[in-house]
Amino acid sequence: MLRHLGLAGKVAVIDECHAYDAYMNCYLDRALTWLGRYKVPVILLSATLPAKRRVELVRAYLNGRTAPDGLWQTCRGYPLLTWTDGKQVEQTTIPLETEPRRVETFPLTEEQLTDTLRSALREGGCAGVIVNTVKKAQAIAARLRAELPEFEVVVFHAQFLMPDRAAKEEALMKRIGKHSTPEQRDKLIVVGTQVLEQSLDIDLDLLVTELCPMDLLLQRIGRLHRHEGRARPRPVAQARCAVLDTGTEDFDEGSKAVYGEWLLWRTRKFLPTAITLPHDIAPLVQDVYGWEPDPLPASPQSTAARAEYEKAQQIKMGKAETFTILPPEEHRKRPSRNTLDNWMNDVGAVSDNGARAAVRDGDPSVDVLVLMRDAAGNVRFLPDETGQPGACVPTDEPPQPEMALQIARQKLRLPGYFSKRWSVEQTIDALEARNREVFGLWQQSPLLRGELILLLDDHLTAQLAGQVLQYDRENGLTYRKEEENEAN
């Protein structure tokens, strides 16, 4: 309650507001409704916001107040500033001083990836390969290291320990950031996931991106030839983006699991062979997300994909409504009843932990703190980048606050496999049993109470839920079936 009221009198800034799914959008819309009621100014930022979503955000903030229909609902200007004073909705297109930038796109299959990279970077430069799942990023990186030994291949995704991920991000900013030199960029291939598509000011000479929804694909293209005035090797002097796809009418199974088939199908249909930035951003995003009426001819595949997508959206929104707080009431004739009394009585998650668990859709995630036990039985931090052993950690007493803080930073989210319905209970039971056995006294530490510890052996591996996990600073956390490990 106090944290909610603490937003009054502030200015709220929300970046990348296009990046939420239907479930999270319900939370954002309800937050905007309350902020509008408090008359808190809100600034929403996005480079690729669909027009339909723009309208929903404005209406959520106004919460029933007049939002007259008009051109603001369908405008395709870019960059576009939309604002409301609570009565009218206004818009203006912001003039750009930069020259338009042309990006060529071409399809690519995984079989063609190695030869494409070798040819494009034959005179130097750097490339980025952005795919839709961590497991695919790790597999592609391993393959490129084997097939392109003359190149340096760096992996960047979300399944690194927090300190390692921060160090990798800092290294990437030096190697391919705004002030990087040709020598730092030479023959470098960065393989990553969605963590590369926004908020990182990196510059790639060549981009390979797995097919994804158009707004996210354009976000990824924003990392290509990002900084003006940079001298580039001749084969990558023209901005080119390869779109990694199956080469058939089917879609990659991992990509379908993340994004669904409908938006992938529409993006594939609307993707041109050349994109002019920023002029084409708004038309491409609005074409993919605006299908009423739909300019694309329907097919059995598209009809089924659309029905599945819209059903999934409705299910997500229905689930979110179970947990979102009630909207503000307005009793015009009896304003004394406009209070916050009992406002959370109908909310499904009233505790902090419950609210955090409910704020994202899908299977519950499992976060762990990662430590290791050496051959002598000592619990330690993982080795540093030089291979030197990490410091020992006491388990016969609660860690001191400074040590506890350092332990708490060794956080990592387990891969999705371990939070599926068929495995999450086994995963948590095994971790809790190990915690009771080794780290029971850590429950007396305020920072570590309730945390799950993943304890690796001296080879940085562990068995969990029928899988073998392994951690290393190059690839992050990987896992495979236990039987495969034993057969080796």
Side-chain angles (χ1 to χ4, degrees), residues 18-242:
H18 66 277
Y20 305 122
D21 63 6
Y23 186 88
M24 281 294 293
N25 278 335
C26 290
Y27 281 87
L28 177 57
D29 289 353
R30 187 57 50 83
L32 289 175
T33 296
W34 276 101
L35 291 169
R37 180 62 179 273
Y38 290 152
K39 296 182 171 55
V40 170
V42 177
I43 300 171
L44 298 166
L45 302 170
S46 172
T48 54
L49 186 66
K52 180 181 178 183
R53 184 65 189 134
R54 181 174 68 226
V55 173
E56 292 171 349
L57 292 168
V58 171
R59 293 197 185 281
Y61 185 79
L62 293 176
N63 188 31
R65 287 176 284 166
T66 303
D69 294 337
L71 292 177
W72 71 273
Q73 296 171 290
T74 57
C75 179
R76 293 189 171 199
Y78 194 92
L80 185 65
L81 176 63
T82 306
W83 74 95
T84 178
D85 60 2
K87 298 177 182 178
Q88 300 293 324
V89 179
E90 306 286 349
Q91 277 181 334
T92 185
T93 301
I94 302 171
L96 283 175
E97 298 179 357
T98 58
E99 290 295 318
R101 188 159 59 92
R102 187 174 186 270
V103 176
E104 297 176 359
T105 70
F106 62 97
L108 190 72
T109 64
E110 286 189 47
E111 292 72 23
Q112 300 166 321
L113 177 60
T114 299
D115 289 340
T116 299
L117 290 169
R118 181 187 290 115
S119 175
L121 301 181
R122 64 187 181 275
E123 295 182 19
C126 65
V129 181
I130 305 178
V131 294
N132 299 330
T133 64
V134 171
K135 198 156 191 173
K136 189 163 199 174
Q138 292 167 332
I140 285 179
R143 176 184 159 196
L144 293 179
R145 286 180 181 133
E147 297 179 357
L148 297 173
E150 69 273 26
F151 288 85
E152 180 182 358
V153 179
V154 174
V155 183
F156 188 62
H157 52 70
Q159 282 170 12
F160 285 96
L161 295 183
M162 289 170 55
D164 291 345
R165 180 172 169 180
K168 277 186 167 286
E169 184 172 319
E170 183 179 355
L172 282 177
M173 294 300 292
K174 290 180 180 177
R175 296 288 304 275
I176 54 176
K178 189 169 187 176
H179 303 293
S180 57
T181 66
E183 293 75 22
Q184 290 173 314
R185 302 163 62 84
D186 188 46
K187 293 190 178 297
L188 174 65
I189 300 173
V190 180
V191 182
T193 58
Q194 292 86 342
V195 296
L196 285 172
E197 75 189 25
Q198 55 194 24
S199 301
L200 283 180
D201 187 17
I202 57 175
D203 179 301
L204 301 167
D205 296 319
L206 174 73
L207 174 65
V208 178
T209 171
E210 192 168 15
L211 181 69
C212 60
M214 183 67 77
D215 54 333
L216 305 181
L217 191 146
L218 290 168
Q219 289 279 346
R220 297 177 185 186
I221 288 177
R223 274 66 219 158
L224 176 64
H225 285 214
R226 184 176 180 86
H227 301 136
E228 295 181 359
R230 182 183 293 280
R232 303 181 192 275
R234 182 183 55 82
V236 289
Q238 166 62 40
R240 300 177 72 232
C241 171

Side-chain angles (χ1 to χ4, degrees), residues 138 157 159-160 412 470-478:
Q138 292 167 332
H157 52 70
Q159 282 170 12
F160 285 96
L412 178 148
Q470 183 159 20
Y471 186 83
D472 68 72
R473 281 192 161 82
E474 279 195 352
N475 300 297
L477 189 70
T478 58

